[in-house]
């Protein structure tokens, strides 16, 4: 029998992982939009490296966040209609899948394109696949589509949190607010 949650708030590590990932994902998405259409230059190459490094960091934080979530009980659900609870849980599950899928598909794309990831310019990471330009062209739209899907889910997640805060006034937003409860 699992222990019932006693707090109405998430733990401090869960809160900090949430907000750190939120900021990093927003930043890496905006960087991806900005750099994608730049002409070939040293700046573009640097930005692509920063984008890949940030993606690897997102992946590492996703692992930490998943381990934390699997080993620590979240607070109890707030009272809400069953469809909202189902939607919230479904959205969270999809976001977790995308926390892994977006950077892993990006990594596979980079590998297939023949541009290895050298984290911070010093730590070469293994390639997922051999260099294959045709495969790279097949993978690239998947990375873009998954990133846009995550962006749309993040916007929906923010909208739902604001709806609970402004309309329902049920304290849901305070459960993930940094600081003391």
């Amino acid at each position: 029998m699992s222990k019932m949650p006693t707090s109405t708030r998430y733990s401090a590590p869960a809160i900090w992982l949430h907000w750190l990932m939120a900021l990093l994902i927003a930043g890496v998405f905006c960087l991806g939009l900005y750099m994608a259409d730049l002409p070939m230059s040293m700046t573009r190459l640097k930005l692509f490296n920063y984008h890949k490094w940030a993606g690897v960091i997102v992946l590492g934080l996703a692992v930490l966040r998943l381990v934390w979530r699997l080993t620590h009980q979240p607070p109890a659900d707030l009272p809400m209609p069953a469809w909202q609870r189902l939607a919230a849980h479904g959205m969270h599950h999809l976001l977790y899948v995308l926390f892994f899928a977006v950077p892993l598909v990006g990594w596979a794309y980079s590998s297939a394109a023949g541009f290895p990831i050298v984290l911070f310019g010093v730590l070469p990471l293994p390639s997922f696949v051999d260099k294959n330009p045709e495969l790279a062209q097949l993978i690239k739209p998947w990375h873009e589509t998954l990133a846009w899907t995550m962006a749309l889910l993040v916007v929906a997640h923010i909208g739902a949190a604001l709806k609970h805060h402004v309309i329902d006034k049920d304290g849901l937003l305070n459960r993930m607010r940094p600081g003391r409860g």
Side-chain angles (χ1 to χ4, degrees), residues 38-60:
L38 289 177
M40 187 52 69
S41 66
M42 288 306 293
T43 299
R44 183 174 194 237
L45 292 174
K46 274 197 260 184
L47 294 178
F48 265 84
N49 280 323
Y50 299 158
H51 180 80
K52 291 190 273 187
W53 299 348
V56 170
I57 293 168
V58 166
L59 185 59

Side-chain angles (χ1 to χ4, degrees), residues 18-125:
H18 174 274
W19 289 108
L20 182 57
M21 284 187 69
L23 291 172
L24 191 56
I25 287 169
V28 77
F29 181 78
C30 291
L31 179 59
L33 289 178
Y34 174 73
M35 69 182 199
D37 293 326
L38 289 177
M40 187 52 69
S41 66
M42 288 306 293
T43 299
R44 183 174 194 237
L45 292 174
K46 274 197 260 184
L47 294 178
F48 265 84
N49 280 323
Y50 299 158
H51 180 80
K52 291 190 273 187
W53 299 348
V56 170
I57 293 168
V58 166
L59 185 59
L61 289 172
V63 169
L64 286 175
R65 188 169 175 179
L66 181 61
V67 168
W68 186 265
R69 175 62 187 84
L70 292 173
T71 59
H72 293 79
Q73 189 73 28
D77 286 333
L78 294 177
M80 64 180 74
W83 72 268
Q84 284 184 16
R85 186 174 357 279
L86 183 64
H89 288 290
M91 181 176 294
H92 284 113
H93 286 102
L94 283 173
L95 283 169
Y96 270 89
V97 167
L98 291 168
F99 293 160
F100 288 90
V102 173
L104 288 172
V105 170
W107 191 342
Y109 166 60
S110 189
S111 296
F115 297 107
I117 299 173
V118 182
L119 193 59
F120 306 121
V122 295
L123 180 62
L125 300 180

Side-chain angles (χ1 to χ4, degrees), residues 9 13 29 33 39 56 75 117 127 138 147 162 166 169-170 177:
R9 287 177 45 84
F29 181 78
L33 289 178
V56 170
I117 299 173
S127 292
L138 291 172
L162 290 174
V166 173
K169 299 181 189 323
D170 60 9
R177 182 179 45 83

